Amino acid sequence: MHSKIILKVIGLLLMIFSLTLVPPVIIAAIYNDGALIEFASVMGGVLLFGLLLWLPVRDYKHDLKIRDGFFVVVMFWVVLGVVGALPLYIEQEVSLSLTDAIFESFSGLTTTGATVLTGLDNMPQSILWYRQQLQWLGGMGIIVLAVAVLPMLGVGGMQLYRAETPGPVKDSKIAPRISETAKALWYIYLGLTLTCAIAYWMAGMDWFDAFSHSFSTVAIGGFSTHDASIGHFDSFEIELVAIFFMFLAGINFALHFSAFRNLNTNVYLSDPEFKLYATLLILVTVLVSLFLYLHNVYPTWEESIRYGLFQSVSLATTTGFANADFSAWPGFLPVLLIFVSFIGGSAGSTAGGMKVIRFLLLSKQVIREIQGLLHPNAIMPVKLGNKSIPEKVMMAVWGFLAVYVFTFTIIMLVVMALGVDQVTAFSSVAAMMNNLGPGLGAVSANYQSLSDPVKWVLTFAMLLGRLEIFTLLVLFTAAFWRK
Amino acid sequence: MHSKIILKVIGLLLMIFSLTLVPPVIIAAIYNDGALIEFASVMGGVLLFGLLLWLPVRDYKHDLKIRDGFFVVVMFWVVLGVVGALPLYIEQEVSLSLTDAIFESFSGLTTTGATVLTGLDNMPQSILWYRQQLQWLGGMGIIVLAVAVLPMLGVGGMQLYRAETPGPVKDSKIAPRISETAKALWYIYLGLTLTCAIAYWMAGMDWFDAFSHSFSTVAIGGFSTHDASIGHFDSFEIELVAIFFMFLAGINFALHFSAFRNLNTNVYLSDPEFKLYATLLILVTVLVSLFLYLHNVYPTWEESIRYGLFQSVSLATTTGFANADFSAWPGFLPVLLIFVSFIGGSAGSTAGGMKVIRFLLLSKQVIREIQGLLHPNAIMPVKLGNKSIPEKVMMAVWGFLAVYVFTFTIIMLVVMALGVDQVTAFSSVAAMMNNLGPGLGAVSANYQSLSDPVKWVLTFAMLLGRLEIFTLLVLFTAAFWRK
Ligand SMILES: [K+]
Ligand SMILES: [K+]
């Protein structure tokens, strides 16, 4: 890949990023919260730097090949993650170390939502807005990544969703060109965000909180403007709004697109991934609520369901909002909820985890294998709806499971070798790779207490999870760098 | 499957089992240890009961189909596990509850080696011998299961080792009929046991301990006649003997057979699974020893290597012998060693875990997937040596990984729901499914303290692991019981 095209892309990216600092600058000015100069100077500096990179190579054109696709995607997240840390790093009132600022920035952009900050309630509004906005922008990137880029690159079986191949969402005829796809999906994303903000406002939030939280809800990010997260409001109405929009945000956006274009909600009910996604959420909610009630964690049915439902949806969709401290629930529940986040939301959404579609395919294959033991000569391909899944796709999904399990194990061991206890290591690595956010043990409140090396490893794990492992791993192969 | 053939098989099984009580009876008589009447009465009772089952149906003949194969295998282990518990249950000096006796018996037969007993050093010799012998007999069953039965049933990709299909051990031309194969392998098993016993004796054990420990070494069982396990002897020579024979026992017995018949050790070095098995053992040993030394767990290099080597080989082969309390080592090491036991020994050995060959195939597939991302149109089948692995086998291996991971997760959650903490639950479920034995946390010394329901779940997990999950799971499908 030519370095000129790299410079051009980075230059453009930086200029666009600097424009996204306009809202924080305005908010800093309105609230006079003391962060105006910092945001304005980062905005100017990044714009200037981007311009300087872009100008000399602006006329350079070069067709991107598959190999370049991986590089651009990784570069996109790494550059934005690093630049996004700048406002957090230079702002005095936040006073983050470089490591912490990078961690927080990547956590925002990858919509992980793990934080190293405390005292959010007293922080400058512009900083709070900026963090939420980071998640929202990250979510925009993920939608395009998940619906258009990963299927094209064929990562982890996601060629299943390639618009030009037969597959479950073929009928939605998503425009094959990324830019058109992106535009259509962003309208839906924007529409969901606005609706969510209005709903939060109607449920009792002020406009600032309503928009801030709609950003991190639709992005399945989980950042909040309060240390107590959604629990701060102690409002069942607000929690219901959050649950509804977390649920919507965890659905494949191609389905939303199809439903919106045809003004028909049947597309949801005929989608196997959606059905399993909804079923899993219900099952987990029932299990958690039942256990909460039977173990007297909450005295009434109503409370058991309220907290059980909210935390189940929040963790199963990998959002990470809290209306209760689930890490303090009896032993089995926190670990169950962390495990559920491995399944995560639907492919083509802003959710993390391995994605429901992969879990569905794996489960079908396991059932097929068991049946195959009794009928060794029968050939039973895995089907989704009426369509057989190509072996190539199944192999890619299997490869994904294996690399997910291996990578999780190795990163957990590395984190433990750096001195972290087993419960904290297990949950924090899961929370990063699944882009979930909250963990157990030492990270049940926030990630402040971890050492710098651990934070770097976890930052890497967030990126790994967000890029569905393979996109990042392929850059570490010799074949990638061969001429 | 006809109930008459079931009765005939069970009857035979019970009569054979009663014969295996002859050695404990003799030992009880020689040492006059007070267990003579108990062993003799169990022997007589089981013989009589078996005879009564067998006599009426002794002339009944029926061809076994694949479906029957699964049933017979599961029945074999369940019946022996239950009957094997009898001597432990009725013997006064052991005074085990029914649950504990069943747990200990299954732990022996499945060569898991987890114990609920303490005070082994003061127990009747006949009981000690009986436990060790249970492991040895279990090992005999496993060898036949792993080399002859599972490949025939096609469980988890093990059709790879089917003698009549092309595969890495085709050259060893193992007789396709189970009985011939079994005889050949048992001679090797017997030869290894005798050599191991002599080596232990030469290294300083008395004859009783030498044979007892050779039983549990060659069976990769891990039971000992002392609470402190191999550490009791505090002898580097004995530890070296244990390491050498644990290493041998973790190799595919079809390779031993081939090497023995051709009097040529090249078969080992040309086997991809053996190479990875040996490499992994070396890697883990180096990593563990280095970490032990650098973290000042042991003051000298010599001690770090001595304990690092022994525990690495013991846990990576899933034996579970101890010359040190590895659960007290710095956080990272115990979890690393538990994770390594998931890989386990070679297929076709008495080792537990998922088996090195599967790990090798999975790793190759992951590498293939990563390479495939850069060359999406190239077809790169997974190869072992010069031979391509059929997709059907790969699919079965993937199914095995998925079902292993799912099952582990669910059993761990169930154990936690029954009140066990995360560290104990993680390690004990891993120790059962991998037929490893020792765990961390509350089970680092023994499994006594767990509640009865947990012990039942763990007993089920041992059996699940030993029968490579699928063999047992298939019995829980509706298709299995359909006419
Ligand atoms: K999140
Ligand atoms: K064992």
Side-chain angles (χ1 to χ4, degrees):
Chain A
M1 199 170 161
H2 296 267
S3 53
K4 283 182 186 169
I5 195 89
I6 297 177
L7 289 178
K8 187 177 167 187
V9 173
I10 295 182
L12 270 171
L13 206 55
L14 293 180
M15 289 189 286
I16 294 170
F17 175 77
S18 78
L19 294 182
T20 69
L21 294 179
V22 171
V25 165
I26 294 173
I27 286 169
I30 293 175
Y31 286 91
N32 193 20
D33 63 6
L36 180 60
I37 294 172
E38 283 88 343
F39 272 114
S41 49
V42 170
M43 186 171 77
V46 170
L47 183 66
L48 193 68
F49 186 59
L51 204 64
L52 286 175
L53 288 181
W54 175 75
L55 270 181
V57 291
R58 67 185 181 282
D59 294 327
Y60 189 78
K61 282 206 173 83
H62 188 75
D63 279 341
L64 290 184
K65 290 178 186 158
I66 287 221
R67 186 177 303 225
D68 307 326
F70 289 101
F71 191 84
V72 168
V73 168
V74 173
M75 198 181 62
F76 181 91
W77 292 91
V78 171
V79 168
L80 284 187
V82 171
V83 179
L86 284 179
L88 299 166
Y89 182 57
I90 66 164
E91 168 60 37
Q92 295 294 325
E93 290 188 62
V94 185
S95 74
L96 289 181
S97 69
L98 185 64
T99 302
D100 280 353
I102 293 270
F103 181 93
E104 192 81 8
S105 170
F106 273 91
S107 175
L109 268 176
T110 58
T111 75
T112 304
T115 186
V116 290
L117 292 175
T118 48
L120 291 174
D121 304 75
N122 301 315
M123 235 164 237
Q125 274 85 348
S126 55
I127 288 284
L128 292 176
W129 179 275
Y130 173 71
R131 286 172 76 241
Q132 305 297 118
Q133 186 184 286
L134 265 185
Q135 296 219 305
W136 193 69
L137 295 171
M140 289 183 79
I142 291 156
I143 288 292
V144 176
L145 189 71
V147 177
V149 181
L150 294 182
M152 197 183 65
L153 297 179
V155 168
M158 287 304 103
Q159 57 266 54
L160 190 64
Y161 288 111
R162 227 178 255 161
E164 63 275 21
T165 60
V169 290
K170 187 200 174 189
D171 301 334
S172 60
K173 284 184 191 119
I174 287 190
R177 288 183 45 223
I178 292 184
S179 59
E180 285 183 35
T181 310
K183 236 182 270 173
L185 296 175
W186 285 341
Y187 282 127
I188 294 167
Y189 190 69
L190 201 64
L192 270 181
T193 310
L194 278 174
T195 325
C196 179
I198 293 168
Y200 273 137
W201 176 73
M202 285 171 62
M205 283 189 187
D206 64 31
W207 279 112
F208 183 83
D209 274 346
F211 268 97
S212 298
H213 286 88
S214 78
F215 284 173
S216 55
T217 306
V218 176
I220 311 203
F223 270 166
S224 172
T225 53
H226 304 281
D227 285 341
S229 188
I230 296 286
H232 168 86
F233 303 99
D234 196 15
S235 152
F236 188 48
E237 289 74 25
I238 286 177
E239 288 164 17
L240 282 180
V241 171
I243 288 165
F244 182 68
F245 283 93
M246 289 192 282
F247 175 71
L248 286 185
I251 298 170
N252 190 336
F253 271 56
L255 283 185
H256 288 317
F257 180 66
S258 181
F260 183 75
R261 214 194 35 176
N262 304 317
L263 294 173
N264 187 340
T265 55
N266 284 341
V267 291
Y268 295 113
L269 293 171
S270 62
D271 182 64
E273 184 182 27
F274 173 81
K275 283 189 278 188
L276 182 58
Y277 167 70
T279 309
L280 283 174
L281 286 180
I282 293 168
L283 275 180
V284 174
T285 299
V286 169
L287 194 63
V288 171
S289 302
L290 204 66
F291 203 88
L292 284 175
Y293 181 70
L294 294 178
H295 278 64
N296 280 311
V297 180
Y298 298 104
T300 65
W301 270 113
E302 290 75 14
E303 282 171 292
S304 302
I305 292 172
R306 174 178 169 184
Y307 295 109
L309 172 65
F310 187 90
Q311 290 300 146
S312 297
V313 173
S314 172
L315 288 159
T317 58
T318 73
T319 311
F321 278 146
N323 71 343
D325 180 10
F326 84 101
S327 73
W329 286 351
F332 152 76
L333 289 177
V335 177
L336 168 72
L337 288 168
I338 297 282
F339 271 132
V340 168
S341 77
F342 274 96
I343 302 175
S346 311
S349 76
T350 48
M354 296 182 57
K355 310 295 178 300
V356 173
I357 185 73
R358 291 202 183 93
F359 180 72
L360 177 61
L361 292 174
L362 298 183
S363 304
K364 278 175 180 268
Q365 170 80 9
V366 165
I367 291 167
R368 190 180 82 150
E369 287 300 325
I370 294 175
Q371 289 172 339
L373 288 174
L374 296 175
H375 308 286
N377 297 319
I379 293 166
M380 292 179 271
V382 170
K383 286 189 169 189
L384 208 59
N386 297 319
K387 301 207 175 90
S388 294
I389 304 295
E391 294 266 300
K392 198 175 163 66
V393 169
M394 285 308 299
M395 282 295 184
V397 175
W398 288 117
F400 186 80
L401 173 73
V403 85
Y404 214 88
V405 172
F406 292 172
T407 314
F408 174 80
T409 307
I410 290 166
I411 298 180
M412 176 174 161
L413 287 172
V414 169
V415 167
M416 289 192 73
L418 293 169
V420 177
D421 70 278
Q422 191 183 338
V423 172
T424 306
F426 161 77
S427 64
S428 60
V429 176
M432 298 302 112
M433 281 187 63
N434 299 335
N435 299 118
L436 169 64
L440 314 175
V443 296
S444 60
N446 60 67
Y447 286 72
Q448 185 69 71
S449 65
L450 300 176
S451 70
D452 278 4
V454 172
K455 282 173 184 159
W456 283 101
V457 172
L458 292 185
T459 304
F460 178 75
M462 290 181 210
L463 197 60
L464 208 52
R466 191 72 279 174
L467 299 180
E468 310 241 311
I469 322 278
F470 281 108
T471 320
L472 187 49
L473 274 195
V474 77
L475 264 66
F476 293 95
T477 61
F480 185 86
W481 299 101
R482 213 172 288 143
K483 269 287 174 196
Chain B
M1 202 169 160
H2 296 266
S3 53
K4 282 183 186 168
I5 195 88
I6 297 176
L7 289 178
K8 186 176 169 188
V9 173
I10 295 182
L12 271 171
L13 207 55
L14 293 180
M15 289 189 286
I16 294 169
F17 175 77
S18 78
L19 294 182
T20 68
L21 294 180
V22 172
V25 165
I26 294 174
I27 287 170
I30 293 175
Y31 285 91
N32 194 18
D33 62 8
L36 179 60
I37 294 172
E38 284 89 342
F39 272 114
S41 49
V42 171
M43 186 172 76
V46 171
L47 184 66
L48 194 68
F49 187 58
L51 204 64
L52 286 176
L53 289 182
W54 175 77
L55 270 180
V57 292
R58 67 185 181 284
D59 293 329
Y60 190 77
K61 281 206 171 84
H62 188 75
D63 278 343
L64 290 185
K65 290 180 185 154
I66 287 222
R67 186 177 302 225
D68 307 325
F70 289 101
F71 190 83
V72 168
V73 168
V74 173
M75 198 181 63
F76 180 91
W77 293 91
V78 171
V79 168
L80 284 188
V82 170
V83 178
L86 284 180
L88 299 166
Y89 181 58
I90 66 163
E91 168 60 38
Q92 296 294 326
E93 290 189 60
V94 185
S95 76
L96 288 181
S97 69
L98 186 64
T99 303
D100 280 353
I102 294 270
F103 181 93
E104 193 80 8
S105 171
F106 274 91
S107 176
L109 268 177
T110 58
T111 75
T112 304
T115 186
V116 289
L117 293 174
T118 46
L120 291 174
D121 304 73
N122 301 315
M123 235 164 238
Q125 273 85 348
S126 55
I127 288 284
L128 292 176
W129 179 275
Y130 174 71
R131 286 171 75 242
Q132 304 297 118
Q133 185 185 286
L134 265 186
Q135 295 220 306
W136 192 69
L137 294 171
M140 289 183 78
I142 292 156
I143 289 291
V144 176
L145 190 72
V147 177
V149 181
L150 294 181
M152 196 184 64
L153 298 179
V155 167
M158 287 303 103
Q159 57 265 58
L160 189 65
Y161 287 111
R162 227 178 256 160
E164 63 274 21
T165 60
V169 290
K170 187 200 175 190
D171 301 334
S172 61
K173 286 185 190 115
I174 287 190
R177 287 181 47 221
I178 292 184
S179 60
E180 285 182 36
T181 311
K183 237 182 270 173
L185 296 175
W186 284 341
Y187 282 128
I188 294 167
Y189 190 68
L190 201 64
L192 269 181
T193 310
L194 278 174
T195 325
C196 179
I198 293 168
Y200 273 137
W201 176 74
M202 285 171 63
M205 283 189 187
D206 63 33
W207 278 112
F208 183 84
D209 275 347
F211 268 97
S212 298
H213 285 89
S214 78
F215 284 172
S216 56
T217 306
V218 176
I220 312 205
F223 270 165
S224 173
T225 53
H226 303 281
D227 286 343
S229 188
I230 296 287
H232 169 85
F233 304 98
D234 197 15
S235 152
F236 188 48
E237 288 74 26
I238 286 177
E239 290 164 17
L240 282 180
V241 171
I243 289 165
F244 181 68
F245 283 93
M246 289 192 281
F247 175 72
L248 285 185
I251 297 170
N252 190 336
F253 270 56
L255 284 185
H256 288 317
F257 179 67
S258 181
F260 183 75
R261 214 195 36 179
N262 303 318
L263 294 174
N264 187 341
T265 55
N266 283 342
V267 291
Y268 296 113
L269 294 170
S270 62
D271 182 64
E273 184 182 27
F274 174 81
K275 282 188 278 188
L276 182 58
Y277 168 70
T279 309
L280 283 174
L281 286 179
I282 293 168
L283 276 180
V284 174
T285 299
V286 169
L287 193 64
V288 171
S289 301
L290 203 67
F291 203 87
L292 284 175
Y293 182 70
L294 294 178
H295 278 64
N296 280 312
V297 179
Y298 298 105
T300 64
W301 270 113
E302 290 76 12
E303 281 172 292
S304 303
I305 292 172
R306 174 178 170 185
Y307 296 108
L309 171 65
F310 186 90
Q311 291 299 148
S312 297
V313 173
S314 171
L315 289 160
T317 58
T318 73
T319 311
F321 279 146
N323 70 343
D325 180 9
F326 85 102
S327 72
W329 286 350
F332 153 76
L333 290 178
V335 177
L336 169 72
L337 288 168
I338 297 281
F339 272 131
V340 168
S341 77
F342 275 96
I343 302 176
S346 311
S349 76
T350 48
M354 296 182 58
K355 310 293 178 300
V356 173
I357 185 74
R358 292 201 182 92
F359 181 72
L360 177 61
L361 291 174
L362 299 183
S363 305
K364 277 175 180 269
Q365 170 80 9
V366 165
I367 291 166
R368 189 180 82 150
E369 287 301 323
I370 294 176
Q371 288 171 342
L373 288 174
L374 296 174
H375 308 285
N377 297 320
I379 294 167
M380 291 180 272
V382 169
K383 285 189 169 187
L384 207 60
N386 297 320
K387 302 205 175 90
S388 294
I389 304 295
E391 295 265 299
K392 197 175 164 68
V393 170
M394 285 307 300
M395 282 296 183
V397 176
W398 288 116
F400 186 80
L401 172 73
V403 85
Y404 215 88
V405 171
F406 292 171
T407 313
F408 173 81
T409 306
I410 290 166
I411 298 180
M412 177 174 159
L413 287 173
V414 169
V415 167
M416 289 190 73
L418 292 170
V420 177
D421 70 279
Q422 191 182 337
V423 172
T424 306
F426 161 77
S427 64
S428 61
V429 177
M432 297 304 112
M433 281 188 63
N434 299 336
N435 298 119
L436 168 65
L440 314 175
V443 296
S444 60
N446 60 66
Y447 286 72
Q448 186 69 72
S449 65
L450 300 176
S451 70
D452 279 3
V454 172
K455 282 173 185 159
W456 283 101
V457 173
L458 292 184
T459 304
F460 179 74
M462 291 180 208
L463 196 61
L464 210 51
R466 190 72 281 172
L467 299 180
E468 310 240 313
I469 323 279
F470 281 108
T471 319
L472 188 48
L473 274 195
V474 78
L475 264 65
F476 293 94
T477 61
F480 186 85
W481 300 100
R482 213 172 286 143
K483 270 286 174 195

